[in-house]
């Protein structure tokens, strides 16, 4: 037979957990112009929030990372072909797979961005 918890005991447990969470949140809050050490910050001490990078910047960084992976793979292949004893086939194959997977992922992102753009452009006004 399956033992079932009484609904009232479950509700009381939930209420207890919620009250504990609320107490923890109240204890962790810091007054607006006061830092962790209790010192009041002057306006010049307050750091500006970081700006989130634009989509174009993120996409550019992704393209650059994929390009770097492909260049590293090319260099490893060339070194292996030249007979460099420090480069084994395992490293070359792993680098080739990394660059292949990253290129495929970038291609998929590009395809989705193009599809989203086309969907937006085809929307009626």
């Amino acid at each position: 037979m399956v033992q079932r918890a009484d609904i009232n005991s479950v509700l009381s447990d939930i209420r207890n957990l919620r009250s504990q969470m609320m107490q923890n949140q109240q204890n962790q809050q810091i007054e607006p112009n006061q830092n962790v050490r209790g010192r009041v910050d002057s306006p010049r001490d307050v750091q500006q929030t970081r700006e989130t990078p634009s989509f174009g910047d993120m996409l550019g960084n992704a393209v650059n990372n994929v390009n770097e992976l492909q260049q590293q793979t090319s260099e490893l292949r060339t070194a292996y072909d030249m007979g460099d004893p420090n480069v084994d086939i395992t490293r070359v194959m792993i680098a080739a797979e990394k660059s292949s997977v990253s290129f495929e992922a970038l291609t998929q992102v590009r395809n989705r961005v193009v599809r989203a753009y086309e969907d937006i452009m085809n929307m009626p006004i």
Side-chain angles (χ1 to χ4, degrees):
M1 178 176 242
V2 177
Q3 293 181 353
R4 301 177 96 185
D6 182 31
I7 189 72
N8 291 328
S9 66
V10 172
L11 287 174
S12 67
D13 289 342
I14 292 172
R15 288 184 186 118
N16 287 336
L17 289 173
R18 188 181 337 159
S19 66
Q20 288 175 0
M21 288 173 37
M22 295 298 281
Q23 287 175 353
N24 287 340
Q25 286 178 349
Q26 290 173 355
N27 291 339
Q28 291 177 356
Q29 286 181 349
I30 298 173
E31 293 185 23
N33 289 330
Q34 194 173 14
N35 66 16
V36 176
R37 295 183 193 111
R39 183 178 59 107
V40 176
D41 289 330
S42 65
R44 66 176 175 257
D45 290 341
V46 177
Q47 295 180 353
Q48 297 292 331
T49 58
R50 283 191 252 159
E51 289 186 28
T52 56
S54 69
F55 180 76
D57 292 339
M58 290 191 304
L59 193 60
N61 288 338
V63 169
N64 290 336
N65 289 339
V66 169
N67 186 36
E68 288 175 15
L69 281 173
Q70 289 179 338
Q71 287 176 350
Q72 290 171 357
T73 300
S74 177
E75 290 171 2
L76 282 173
R77 282 183 181 156
T78 303
Y80 180 76
D81 290 342
M82 299 294 251
D84 188 349
N86 296 326
V87 179
D88 59 348
I89 188 70
T90 309
R91 277 183 59 195
V92 174
M93 294 307 294
I94 290 173
E97 284 301 311
K98 281 183 182 179
S99 67
S100 174
V101 168
S102 64
F103 182 76
E104 182 65 31
L106 184 65
T107 303
Q108 292 296 324
V109 168
R110 185 218 44 196
N111 291 343
R112 292 203 180 209
V113 167
V114 168
R115 190 178 321 136
Y117 175 77
E118 289 172 348
D119 290 345
I120 290 172
M121 292 307 293
N122 290 330
M123 284 182 179
I125 296 178

